[in-house]
C-alpha cells in the first residue's frame, strides 16, 4: 500500500484531486478537463479510490467521483510543523518590512524596474515575445 505522500507525489493524481476539490466529476469530464486518456484517468482513480482519497457513485450510465478529504488530514498534520516554521519567518519579514524607511523601499522598486527594462532592451515592448 502506498503512503499518502507517494500517492500525491504523482502529478496526474494531484491534478485529479484538485479538480475533484471543486466538484464531483465523471471519468469523461476528468479526461477532457485534464487532457488525459481514459486508461490513464481510470488507473489514477483506482489508486486514489483504493487509498480512500476519492469515492464514486453511479448516476445512470456514469460513475461520478468526488474527493474524500479525510486522508488528507495525515498530510495536514505533517505539514503543521512547517507552517509554524514559515509563519515565524514570514512574521519576521513582515516586521522588517514595516520598519523599513519608505524611501528605501521606493529606491528598491525603482532599481528593480530599471533592471527589468534593461533586460528587455530600450526599444522592446514589455513582455513582447516573452513567455512565462
Amino acid at each position: 500500500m502506498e503512503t499518502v505522500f507517494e500517492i500525491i507525489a504523482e502529478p496526474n493524481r494531484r491534478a485529479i484531486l484538485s479538480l475533484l476539490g471543486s466538484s464531483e466529476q465523471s471519468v469523461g469530464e476528468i479526461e477532457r478537463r485534464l487532457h488525459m486518456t481514459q486508461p490513464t484517468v481510470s488507473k489514477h482513480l483506482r489508486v486514489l479510490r483504493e487509498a480512500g482519497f476519492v469515492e464514486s457513485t453511479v448516476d445512470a450510465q456514469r460513475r461520478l467521483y468526488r474527493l474524500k478529504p479525510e486522508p488528507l488530514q495525515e498530510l495536514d498534520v505533517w505539514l503543521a510543523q512547517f507552517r509554524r516554521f514559515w509563519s515565524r519567518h514570514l512574521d519576521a519579514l513582515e516586521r522588517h518590512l514595516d520598519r523599513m524607511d519608505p524611501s528605501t523601499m521606493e529606491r528598491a522598486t525603482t532599481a528593480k524596474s530599471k533592471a527589468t527594462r534593461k533586460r528587455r532592451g530600450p526599444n522592446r515592448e514589455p513582455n513582447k515575445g516573452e513567455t512565462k
Side-chain angles (χ1 to χ4, degrees), residues 89-106:
H89 285 77
L90 292 173
D91 290 345
L93 175 60
E94 183 178 20
R95 285 189 303 275
H96 173 73
L97 293 173
D98 287 344
R99 287 190 307 265
M100 283 183 70
D101 179 14
S103 64
T104 304
M105 291 190 340
E106 186 178 318

Side-chain angles (χ1 to χ4, degrees), residues 10-57:
E10 209 290 321
N12 290 321
R13 291 186 203 138
R14 285 196 313 271
I16 291 170
L17 289 172
S18 293
L19 183 60
L20 294 177
S22 60
S23 65
E24 66 181 22
Q25 306 280 320
S26 69
V27 173
E29 291 166 332
I30 295 169
E31 287 175 50
R32 283 187 295 282
R33 299 214 32 215
L34 299 178
H35 308 289
M36 292 183 199
T37 64
Q38 186 276 325
T40 300
V41 171
S42 294
K43 177 186 84 170
H44 291 302
L45 284 171
R46 181 181 46 79
V47 171
L48 292 169
R49 189 180 62 250
E50 289 174 358
F53 282 89
V54 301
E55 62 186 357
S56 65
T57 56

Side-chain angles (χ1 to χ4, degrees), residues 57-114:
T57 56
V58 177
D59 178 39
Q61 298 294 320
R62 304 183 318 161
R63 184 173 295 271
L64 298 174
Y65 288 85
R66 74 177 144 265
L67 183 67
K68 286 180 61 180
E70 296 83 9
L72 296 171
Q73 291 173 344
E74 177 185 340
L75 179 61
D76 186 51
V77 168
W78 184 77
L79 287 172
Q81 63 187 322
F82 300 103
R83 278 190 210 101
R84 286 190 299 272
F85 170 79
W86 282 110
S87 180
R88 283 194 318 265
H89 285 77
L90 292 173
D91 290 345
L93 175 60
E94 183 178 20
R95 285 189 303 275
H96 173 73
L97 293 173
D98 287 344
R99 287 190 307 265
M100 283 183 70
D101 179 14
S103 64
T104 304
M105 291 190 340
E106 186 178 318
R107 283 194 306 267
T109 303
T110 302
K112 183 179 177 187
S113 263
K114 287 180 182 176

